[in-house]
Amino acid sequence: MKELVRELNQYAKEYYVWDQPSVTDAEYDQKYRQLEQLEAAYPEEVQSDSPTQRVGDVLDTQLEKVVFDRPMLSLGDVFSRKELEDWLDNVEDQLDEQCVYVCELKIDGLSVSLQYERGRLVRAATRGDGHMGEDITHNVKTIPSVPLHLQEPLSLEVRGEIYMPKEAFVRLNQEREEKGLATFANPRNSAAGSIRQLDPKVTAKRKLNVFLYTGVLGEELGIKSQLDLLTQYPKWGFRVNPLYRLCQTKEEIWQFIEEIQNKRHQLDYDIDGIVVKVNRFNDQETLGYTVKVPKWAIAYKFPAEQVQTTLKEIEWTVGRTGVVTPTAVMEPVLLAGSMVQRASLHNMDLIEAKDIRLNDQVMIHKAGDIIPEVVKVLPDYRTKDSKPYTKPIHCPTCQSLLVHLEEEVALRCINPFCPAQAKERLNHFVSRQAMNISGVGPKLMEQLYNQGLVTTPSDLYHLEEDQLMSLNKIQEKKAHKVVEAIEASKKNSLERLLFGLGIRHVGSKAARDVARYLGKMSDIQAADKETLAQIEGIGEIIADSLVTYFANPSVQHLLQEFKQDGLNMTYLGASSEEIAAVASYFQGKTVVLTGKLEHYTRQEAKQRIESQGGKVTGSVSAHTDVVVSGKEAGSKLTKAQHLGIPILNESEMIQYLEGSLPS
Ligand code: IVH
């Protein structure tokens, strides 16, 4: 087992730290499985540095604070060649000898400190305010390129940057969008969010990585310069960014900056500048520090990238609620590493505020290095006949008059029969959070609608396989699956149908709250504003919207049809697969409640935990993942403590249930 651990760690280092694997993935996997089997057979022999031990314990409280012996400093920054050269002049003035610099990439992530004692990773922490950070050891252990054990029994602190590769960021956001969760603005934020998780299993899925570039190193380690450090680190197993360069002159430094700037978008991680460091530690000491930053290093920040292009057209699209939103269609240009030809203009107010006109030359950038936006127009390029853009008067789809409701920035098509809205409403009805009818995506819906097969949600329930097969590219198998999925959706619990109706202001949470509280569609239809507004989580606006919606005779007709079609109209509690989709601390955990709770009855707490994917059992055993301990807890608590099971108090449980702690 020791031999396997040694080999696997060596392979991991070759792969993750040096980027030079010597074995295939399959060979690695085969050895990994062999080790897993041995460990299962001889659990008492599991080595602490075994690669299987990379997932640590779930924390049951908030992150611990860590105080640094030596503060984690930040960097001063400059934004132009001139400012950079002034800084270099100043450094040269203070040093006697010719100075050498190391130029490195400024990784746009979050700083981390890794403390090793006698070769073992004992603590990892975020930077916090530089003096006090947060303990993230349990999560950092899941980053494969961070060594848990060093080959030599060294004691040192290494520091660097944790980041999320761009690709992982894009994928994570796609997943979150599909689940209806808020997306992260940029890879940096998602790295920060991921590393502060209490549950390392979540972090482990987030594909974080690290580059190390500094440290608190004793003299005995013999490192005398930044270059020494960068060459020694990989030998110890610490991952270093390979794109650094030793430079002597201003020209060399500037050349490096330009080179990197030109290829920064090809890198698979975000950088926001170049760090220039005085190489020799002796010289660094001479230059010293201000309170916040070293005087021997500076960050040159890249200007936010912008490119010029022509705005050819403003396209207006109609959403499900009738909101009509503008998109700029531009001459395609390469921006921050990708071809861009569309950018959201958000609303008419923005077009007016920026005085954006057709055929304008515009500057565009990417918000968070990802989302294209129009920054400004260049009026000097306008021809004489250029006129301010006038807002559309008619709906681009149904041609009915658009309205600008007073309290809104949006333009709206208020024609209830607008085909664009109808299609979007249908797409919403079948969507995953609503009726969850798989196989009916926007493309199929477009065909169904255009052929007149489905124009209202209830039409879906009369669709036949033959009709589907008459459509383009729909084979028998697919047609069968679609009809099955539609049939299955009839059994959905009420909140899905309620949400699927697309009632203004009624999101999936409000739909669930109302459905859970009132239980039956007929009771929701009959409820007055007061009744609705007393439901927890439902305010006046939602209550009003529901009342208005259900007063509409065509809605009553639709619901009548649903009933005849055999759709379930009652709240069934959350079904198991819905619960499994909830992102919660309790997801998949076996929980034991003990002691007196103050804010909930046992039953309520149980229901809430179960609605978030937890299983509540009566007695503490080795299978228990977490114990919630109220007042005057007795033997169950003692047993949990004895078994080392995480324990939450009531307020922590509530915070987790409400999602106010990271799950
Ligand atoms: S050196 C005492 N090198 O940038 C000097 N920092 O804006 C400590 N950063 O807090 C920093 N890449 O988190 C250094 N190659 C690099 C860096 C780097 C990114 C971050 C670091 C620092 C921040 C300052």
Side-chain angles (χ1 to χ4, degrees):
M1 286 165 77
K2 280 193 183 143
E3 181 55 20
L4 279 172
V5 167
R6 198 193 57 74
E7 278 182 60
L8 285 164
N9 283 342
Q10 176 63 24
Y11 298 151
K13 187 153 62 181
E14 290 166 0
Y15 183 90
Y16 291 110
V17 181
W18 301 337
D19 259 343
Q20 280 172 341
S22 68
V23 292
T24 62
D25 290 359
E27 284 170 283
Y28 179 91
D29 290 343
Q30 192 249 328
K31 292 211 160 142
Y32 190 97
R33 274 195 299 275
Q34 198 183 348
L35 177 62
E36 272 183 330
Q37 283 164 3
L38 284 167
E39 288 180 345
Y42 304 100
E44 67 287 356
E45 292 296 329
V46 174
Q47 307 291 305
S48 62
D49 59 339
S50 162
T52 62
Q53 300 304 296
R54 279 200 177 265
V55 174
D57 291 332
V58 176
L59 293 187
D60 58 354
T61 52
Q62 282 173 343
L63 303 172
E64 296 267 337
K65 296 283 178 271
V66 167
V67 177
F68 299 113
D69 294 338
R70 281 248 238 136
M72 288 184 78
L73 299 178
S74 124
L75 289 169
D77 42 27
V78 290
F79 295 88
S80 67
R81 184 170 183 172
K82 169 83 175 53
E83 279 181 289
L84 175 64
E85 292 186 348
D86 289 349
W87 182 85
L88 292 165
D89 285 339
N90 189 33
V91 167
E92 306 273 339
D93 284 350
Q94 296 181 54
L95 298 175
D96 303 331
E97 290 174 57
Q98 159 76 52
C99 185
V100 180
Y101 302 91
V102 176
C103 298
E104 296 172 12
L105 307 196
K106 188 168 182 312
I107 313 298
D108 198 7
L110 61 144
S111 348
V112 65
S113 140
L114 308 174
Q115 181 84 45
Y116 287 85
E117 270 168 27
R118 287 185 293 281
R120 231 166 58 83
L121 175 67
V122 291
R123 191 207 65 196
T126 63
R127 174 169 177 271
D129 64 3
H131 297 279
M132 194 169 33
E134 285 177 317
D135 191 319
I136 48 167
T137 318
H138 67 301
N139 284 339
V140 166
K141 280 184 173 170
T142 69
I143 302 177
S145 58
V146 171
L148 304 181
H149 281 248
L150 308 177
Q151 254 146 33
E152 296 167 59
L154 305 173
S155 295
L156 78 172
E157 184 185 343
V158 293
R159 293 176 175 180
E161 205 82 356
I162 291 182
Y163 67 91
M164 182 177 285
K166 288 180 191 167
E167 201 192 310
F169 162 72
V170 171
R171 204 159 2 95
L172 174 66
N173 261 1
Q174 275 167 357
E175 280 169 22
R176 290 179 68 86
E177 207 160 276
E178 278 167 22
K179 286 188 193 149
L181 299 172
T183 51
F184 289 107
N186 51 48
R188 213 191 84 77
N189 289 1
S190 47
S194 305
I195 206 69
R196 295 189 69 263
Q197 296 283 327
L198 294 181
D199 184 351
K201 289 206 195 73
V202 178
T203 313
K205 288 193 199 122
R206 299 276 176 93
K207 303 275 179 260
L208 298 174
N209 210 336
V210 68
F211 283 126
L212 299 156
Y213 47 70
T214 186
V216 184
L217 315 169
E219 300 236 332
E220 73 285 359
L221 296 171
I223 296 192
K224 294 194 163 63
S225 70
Q226 181 66 8
L227 186 64
D228 280 355
L229 182 151
L230 294 173
T231 28
Q232 183 57 52
Y233 268 15
K235 297 183 193 157
W236 283 334
F238 300 127
R239 188 161 183 261
V240 159
N241 187 294
L243 297 174
Y244 61 84
R245 186 177 296 167
L246 208 56
C247 296
Q248 289 220 349
T249 64
K250 287 176 184 156
E251 285 67 37
E252 284 171 2
I253 295 174
W254 191 251
Q255 200 187 343
F256 180 74
I257 291 178
E258 287 196 319
E259 270 176 40
I260 298 297
Q261 199 161 343
N262 288 334
K263 66 172 172 195
R264 65 184 277 213
H265 302 296
Q266 277 127 273
L267 302 173
D268 84 334
Y269 43 86
D270 249 3
I271 58 172
D272 58 346
I274 297 291
V275 186
V276 182
K277 300 176 179 176
V278 169
N279 183 38
R280 279 187 297 264
F281 286 177
N282 275 343
D283 289 343
Q284 293 187 358
E285 288 314 310
T286 310
L287 290 158
Y289 298 83
T290 70
V291 190
K292 278 205 204 130
V293 301
K295 292 186 189 167
W296 46 264
I298 195 81
Y300 169 82
K301 293 284 204 62
F302 294 136
E305 199 170 332
Q306 296 190 356
V307 289
Q308 183 179 336
T309 182
T310 314
L311 183 135
K312 295 194 300 192
E313 202 187 319
I314 296 180
E315 210 175 81
W316 293 83
T317 22
V318 188
R320 147 175 88 81
T321 58
V323 172
V324 185
T325 47
T327 304
V329 182
M330 300 159 301
E331 200 59 60
V333 273
L334 187 65
L335 170 64
S338 66
M339 288 305 280
V340 169
Q341 57 178 331
R342 299 170 71 81
S344 171
L345 293 170
H346 304 291
N347 53 56
M348 192 60 211
D349 287 7
L350 184 130
I351 297 175
E352 279 170 1
K354 294 194 171 165
D355 188 18
I356 296 172
R357 305 180 185 189
L358 295 182
N359 301 318
D360 263 350
Q361 288 297 302
V362 291
M363 294 304 292
I364 59 174
H365 80 154
K366 278 191 187 166
D369 213 34
I370 311 271
I371 300 150
E373 273 179 3
V374 173
V375 184
K376 59 173 180 189
V377 300
L378 303 168
D380 292 351
Y381 289 86
R382 275 180 186 154
T383 52
K384 283 208 189 73
D385 56 358
S386 160
K387 286 188 213 67
Y389 184 79
T390 45
K391 67 177 172 199
I393 299 176
H394 297 108
C395 168
T397 305
C398 72
Q399 311 308 326
S400 66
L401 280 178
L402 294 177
V403 295
H404 201 156
L405 298 180
E406 224 166 79
E407 74 278 19
E408 292 188 335
V409 284
L411 280 173
R412 265 179 196 278
C413 166
I414 52 167
N415 170 15
F417 305 106
C418 170
Q421 284 180 59
K423 273 184 247 177
E424 288 307 315
R425 279 199 298 269
L426 287 164
N427 283 327
H428 172 76
F429 185 82
V430 299
S431 68
R432 194 173 316 176
Q433 274 197 301
M435 293 302 271
N436 192 23
I437 302 180
S438 58
V440 188
K443 279 200 190 127
L444 175 58
M445 194 62 91
E446 176 88 21
Q447 288 197 64
L448 289 169
Y449 189 89
N450 292 346
Q451 298 297 317
L453 291 173
V454 176
T455 54
T456 73
S458 68
D459 291 342
L460 282 164
Y461 295 97
H462 306 149
L463 259 186
E464 284 165 17
E465 286 183 29
D466 290 353
Q467 292 175 312
L468 279 159
M469 278 157 61
S470 71
L471 301 172
N472 195 10
K473 290 197 186 137
I474 306 291
Q475 312 285 322
E476 189 176 344
K477 206 166 145 198
K478 162 96 180 170
H480 183 70
K481 275 201 168 153
V482 166
V483 171
E484 255 182 8
I486 293 172
E487 187 62 26
S489 76
K490 290 182 180 173
K491 298 203 177 72
N492 283 339
S493 181
L494 177 60
E495 68 280 11
R496 284 185 173 274
L497 180 59
L498 189 59
F499 174 61
L501 293 173
I503 306 166
R504 230 178 136 200
H505 304 300
V506 182
S508 58
K509 181 175 176 300
R512 196 184 55 226
D513 290 344
V514 172
R516 186 181 279 153
Y517 188 87
L518 291 169
K520 288 202 297 223
M521 186 64 101
S522 53
D523 290 349
I524 301 175
Q525 280 176 270
D528 57 16
K529 188 177 156 188
E530 288 66 39
T531 312
L532 291 163
Q534 82 186 32
I535 303 173
E536 208 189 305
I538 304 300
E540 298 232 329
I541 296 178
I542 298 179
D544 254 341
S545 179
L546 282 161
V547 171
T548 313
Y549 181 83
F550 287 111
N552 183 338
S554 58
V555 167
Q556 288 159 13
H557 178 71
L558 177 69
L559 294 177
Q560 199 53 43
E561 284 188 332
F562 280 153
K563 214 169 168 183
Q564 281 159 10
D565 293 336
L567 269 73
N568 167 55
M569 299 276 181
T570 55
Y571 177 69
L572 304 172
S575 73
S576 59
E577 72 274 21
E578 286 161 335
I579 291 174
V582 180
S584 156
Y585 168 83
F586 292 107
Q587 187 58 255
K589 291 202 169 85
T590 302
V591 186
V592 172
L593 300 169
T594 180
K596 280 193 199 129
L597 298 177
E598 286 176 347
H599 294 86
Y600 287 111
T601 63
R602 275 278 177 92
Q603 195 52 32
E604 282 165 348
K606 179 172 187 286
Q607 269 174 8
R608 290 212 56 185
I609 291 171
E610 285 174 348
S611 75
Q612 298 194 4
K615 191 169 111 193
V616 178
T617 60
S619 61
V620 176
S621 75
H623 300 296
T624 310
D625 293 308
V626 58
V627 169
V628 176
S629 161
K631 292 254 153 68
E632 297 162 38
S635 62
K636 286 185 196 174
L637 176 61
T638 325
K639 186 162 180 198
Q641 284 163 337
H642 185 69
L643 290 173
I645 294 167
I647 295 158
L648 301 183
N649 62 30
E650 183 176 0
S651 81
E652 286 164 339
M653 174 190 77
I654 294 172
Q655 281 177 299
Y656 276 121
L657 284 171
E658 295 181 347
S660 55
L661 286 177
S663 58

mmCIF file of all heavy atoms in Angstrom, residues 222-242:
data_model
loop_
_atom_site.group_PDB
_atom_site.id
_atom_site.type_symbol
_atom_site.label_atom_id
_atom_site.label_comp_id
_atom_site.label_asym_id
_atom_site.label_seq_id
_atom_site.Cartn_x
_atom_site.Cartn_y
_atom_site.Cartn_z
ATOM 1 N N GLY A 222 17.894 27.829 1.965
ATOM 2 C CA GLY A 222 18.898 28.226 0.970
ATOM 3 C C GLY A 222 18.347 28.952 -0.245
ATOM 4 O O GLY A 222 18.983 28.982 -1.293
ATOM 5 N N ILE A 223 17.154 29.529 -0.087
ATOM 6 C CA ILE A 223 16.580 30.239 -1.238
ATOM 7 C C ILE A 223 16.887 31.713 -1.103
ATOM 8 O O ILE A 223 16.525 32.341 -0.113
ATOM 9 C CB ILE A 223 15.074 29.975 -1.300
ATOM 10 C CG1 ILE A 223 14.914 28.494 -1.560
ATOM 11 C CG2 ILE A 223 14.406 30.810 -2.375
ATOM 12 C CD1 ILE A 223 13.587 28.058 -1.931
ATOM 13 N N LYS A 224 17.562 32.249 -2.118
ATOM 14 C CA LYS A 224 18.063 33.610 -1.963
ATOM 15 C C LYS A 224 17.446 34.594 -2.951
ATOM 16 O O LYS A 224 17.759 35.772 -2.926
ATOM 17 C CB LYS A 224 19.583 33.596 -2.148
ATOM 18 C CG LYS A 224 20.307 32.825 -1.046
ATOM 19 C CD LYS A 224 21.801 33.143 -1.086
ATOM 20 C CE LYS A 224 22.517 32.769 0.193
ATOM 21 N NZ LYS A 224 22.478 31.328 0.478
ATOM 22 N N SER A 225 16.639 34.067 -3.841
ATOM 23 C CA SER A 225 16.036 34.975 -4.821
ATOM 24 C C SER A 225 14.715 34.403 -5.298
ATOM 25 O O SER A 225 14.417 33.223 -5.083
ATOM 26 C CB SER A 225 16.968 35.144 -6.022
ATOM 27 O OG SER A 225 17.008 33.930 -6.749
ATOM 28 N N GLN A 226 13.948 35.257 -5.988
ATOM 29 C CA GLN A 226 12.668 34.805 -6.537
ATOM 30 C C GLN A 226 12.908 33.710 -7.577
ATOM 31 O O GLN A 226 12.150 32.754 -7.667
ATOM 32 C CB GLN A 226 11.930 36.006 -7.146
ATOM 33 C CG GLN A 226 10.571 35.696 -7.727
ATOM 34 C CD GLN A 226 9.541 35.264 -6.674
ATOM 35 O OE1 GLN A 226 9.796 35.324 -5.461
ATOM 36 N NE2 GLN A 226 8.406 34.802 -7.137
ATOM 37 N N LEU A 227 13.999 33.854 -8.320
ATOM 38 C CA LEU A 227 14.291 32.828 -9.327
ATOM 39 C C LEU A 227 14.608 31.485 -8.658
ATOM 40 O O LEU A 227 14.145 30.435 -9.111
ATOM 41 C CB LEU A 227 15.465 33.269 -10.208
ATOM 42 C CG LEU A 227 15.757 32.340 -11.386
ATOM 43 C CD1 LEU A 227 14.589 32.318 -12.362
ATOM 44 C CD2 LEU A 227 17.032 32.769 -12.111
ATOM 45 N N ASP A 228 15.387 31.533 -7.569
ATOM 46 C CA ASP A 228 15.641 30.309 -6.791
ATOM 47 C C ASP A 228 14.320 29.662 -6.401
ATOM 48 O O ASP A 228 14.118 28.463 -6.546
ATOM 49 C CB ASP A 228 16.343 30.633 -5.451
ATOM 50 C CG ASP A 228 17.828 30.870 -5.612
ATOM 51 O OD1 ASP A 228 18.335 30.685 -6.737
ATOM 52 O OD2 ASP A 228 18.474 31.253 -4.606
ATOM 53 N N LEU A 229 13.439 30.517 -5.892
ATOM 54 C CA LEU A 229 12.155 30.021 -5.392
ATOM 55 C C LEU A 229 11.372 29.335 -6.517
ATOM 56 O O LEU A 229 10.883 28.213 -6.370
ATOM 57 C CB LEU A 229 11.382 31.195 -4.796
ATOM 58 C CG LEU A 229 10.023 30.943 -4.156
ATOM 59 C CD1 LEU A 229 9.772 31.969 -3.047
ATOM 60 C CD2 LEU A 229 8.884 31.010 -5.144
ATOM 61 N N LEU A 230 11.313 30.021 -7.648
ATOM 62 C CA LEU A 230 10.513 29.475 -8.747
ATOM 63 C C LEU A 230 11.123 28.202 -9.337
ATOM 64 O O LEU A 230 10.414 27.382 -9.912
ATOM 65 C CB LEU A 230 10.319 30.528 -9.844
ATOM 66 C CG LEU A 230 9.477 31.749 -9.451
ATOM 67 C CD1 LEU A 230 9.492 32.796 -10.553
ATOM 68 C CD2 LEU A 230 8.039 31.351 -9.131
ATOM 69 N N THR A 231 12.433 28.035 -9.200
ATOM 70 C CA THR A 231 13.032 26.791 -9.714
ATOM 71 C C THR A 231 12.975 25.673 -8.674
ATOM 72 O O THR A 231 12.843 24.508 -9.018
ATOM 73 C CB THR A 231 14.501 26.987 -10.174
ATOM 74 O OG1 THR A 231 15.083 28.053 -9.421
ATOM 75 C CG2 THR A 231 14.590 27.329 -11.629
ATOM 76 N N GLN A 232 13.028 26.077 -7.400
ATOM 77 C CA GLN A 232 13.004 25.056 -6.349
ATOM 78 C C GLN A 232 11.592 24.515 -6.091
ATOM 79 O O GLN A 232 11.420 23.325 -5.846
ATOM 80 C CB GLN A 232 13.590 25.633 -5.054
ATOM 81 C CG GLN A 232 13.691 24.628 -3.911
ATOM 82 C CD GLN A 232 14.506 23.401 -4.263
ATOM 83 O OE1 GLN A 232 15.639 23.494 -4.740
ATOM 84 N NE2 GLN A 232 13.927 22.219 -4.061
ATOM 85 N N TYR A 233 10.597 25.385 -6.154
ATOM 86 C CA TYR A 233 9.235 24.969 -5.801
ATOM 87 C C TYR A 233 8.785 23.692 -6.521
ATOM 88 O O TYR A 233 8.316 22.752 -5.868
ATOM 89 C CB TYR A 233 8.233 26.113 -6.046
ATOM 90 C CG TYR A 233 7.986 26.992 -4.827
ATOM 91 C CD1 TYR A 233 8.832 26.967 -3.731
ATOM 92 C CD2 TYR A 233 6.894 27.851 -4.775
ATOM 93 C CE1 TYR A 233 8.604 27.777 -2.622
ATOM 94 C CE2 TYR A 233 6.656 28.663 -3.672
ATOM 95 C CZ TYR A 233 7.510 28.622 -2.597
ATOM 96 O OH TYR A 233 7.273 29.411 -1.508
ATOM 97 N N PRO A 234 8.921 23.622 -7.852
ATOM 98 C CA PRO A 234 8.436 22.399 -8.523
ATOM 99 C C PRO A 234 9.169 21.150 -8.037
ATOM 100 O O PRO A 234 8.568 20.077 -7.978
ATOM 101 C CB PRO A 234 8.724 22.650 -10.000
ATOM 102 C CG PRO A 234 8.882 24.115 -10.129
ATOM 103 C CD PRO A 234 9.400 24.614 -8.820
ATOM 104 N N LYS A 235 10.424 21.304 -7.650
ATOM 105 C CA LYS A 235 11.171 20.134 -7.162
ATOM 106 C C LYS A 235 10.599 19.647 -5.841
ATOM 107 O O LYS A 235 10.640 18.469 -5.526
ATOM 108 C CB LYS A 235 12.660 20.472 -6.992
ATOM 109 C CG LYS A 235 13.334 20.831 -8.300
ATOM 110 C CD LYS A 235 14.825 21.095 -8.098
ATOM 111 C CE LYS A 235 15.413 21.769 -9.332
ATOM 112 N NZ LYS A 235 16.629 22.520 -9.003
ATOM 113 N N TRP A 236 10.069 20.577 -5.070
ATOM 114 C CA TRP A 236 9.422 20.172 -3.816
ATOM 115 C C TRP A 236 7.983 19.702 -4.046
ATOM 116 O O TRP A 236 7.301 19.272 -3.125
ATOM 117 C CB TRP A 236 9.392 21.356 -2.845
ATOM 118 C CG TRP A 236 10.711 21.618 -2.172
ATOM 119 C CD1 TRP A 236 11.710 20.726 -1.925
ATOM 120 C CD2 TRP A 236 11.151 22.875 -1.635
ATOM 121 N NE1 TRP A 236 12.752 21.335 -1.272
ATOM 122 C CE2 TRP A 236 12.433 22.665 -1.078
ATOM 123 C CE3 TRP A 236 10.596 24.153 -1.567
ATOM 124 C CZ2 TRP A 236 13.164 23.678 -0.466
ATOM 125 C CZ3 TRP A 236 11.329 25.168 -0.959
ATOM 126 C CH2 TRP A 236 12.599 24.917 -0.420
ATOM 127 N N GLY A 237 7.499 19.903 -5.277
ATOM 128 C CA GLY A 237 6.136 19.461 -5.584
ATOM 129 C C GLY A 237 5.119 20.596 -5.623
ATOM 130 O O GLY A 237 3.916 20.347 -5.673
ATOM 131 N N PHE A 238 5.597 21.852 -5.574
ATOM 132 C CA PHE A 238 4.670 22.985 -5.619
ATOM 133 C C PHE A 238 4.519 23.480 -7.048
ATOM 134 O O PHE A 238 5.505 23.694 -7.739
ATOM 135 C CB PHE A 238 5.170 24.128 -4.735
ATOM 136 C CG PHE A 238 5.314 23.737 -3.294
ATOM 137 C CD1 PHE A 238 6.509 23.954 -2.609
ATOM 138 C CD2 PHE A 238 4.251 23.141 -2.624
ATOM 139 C CE1 PHE A 238 6.648 23.590 -1.289
ATOM 140 C CE2 PHE A 238 4.381 22.776 -1.290
ATOM 141 C CZ PHE A 238 5.590 22.991 -0.621
ATOM 142 N N ARG A 239 3.287 23.699 -7.465
ATOM 143 C CA ARG A 239 3.021 24.086 -8.846
ATOM 144 C C ARG A 239 3.323 25.572 -9.044
ATOM 145 O O ARG A 239 2.860 26.434 -8.297
ATOM 146 C CB ARG A 239 1.562 23.806 -9.181
ATOM 147 C CG ARG A 239 1.215 23.986 -10.631
ATOM 148 C CD ARG A 239 -0.080 23.264 -10.941
ATOM 149 N NE ARG A 239 -0.408 23.351 -12.347
ATOM 150 C CZ ARG A 239 -1.275 24.206 -12.854
ATOM 151 N NH1 ARG A 239 -1.913 25.053 -12.069
ATOM 152 N NH2 ARG A 239 -1.512 24.216 -14.148
ATOM 153 N N VAL A 240 4.092 25.827 -10.085
ATOM 154 C CA VAL A 240 4.517 27.188 -10.375
ATOM 155 C C VAL A 240 4.070 27.531 -11.786
ATOM 156 O O VAL A 240 4.090 26.669 -12.664
ATOM 157 C CB VAL A 240 6.066 27.244 -10.267
ATOM 158 C CG1 VAL A 240 6.641 28.424 -11.011
ATOM 159 C CG2 VAL A 240 6.486 27.277 -8.803
ATOM 160 N N ASN A 241 3.670 28.769 -12.019
ATOM 161 C CA ASN A 241 3.320 29.147 -13.384
ATOM 162 C C ASN A 241 4.606 29.238 -14.214
ATOM 163 O O ASN A 241 5.532 29.953 -13.844
ATOM 164 C CB ASN A 241 2.587 30.487 -13.382
ATOM 165 C CG ASN A 241 2.070 30.823 -14.760
ATOM 166 O OD1 ASN A 241 2.850 31.052 -15.676
ATOM 167 N ND2 ASN A 241 0.774 30.810 -14.896
ATOM 168 N N PRO A 242 4.651 28.529 -15.332
ATOM 169 C CA PRO A 242 5.906 28.483 -16.088
ATOM 170 C C PRO A 242 6.200 29.759 -16.869
ATOM 171 O O PRO A 242 7.331 29.966 -17.316
ATOM 172 C CB PRO A 242 5.691 27.315 -17.056
ATOM 173 C CG PRO A 242 4.208 27.199 -17.205
ATOM 174 C CD PRO A 242 3.602 27.681 -15.921
#
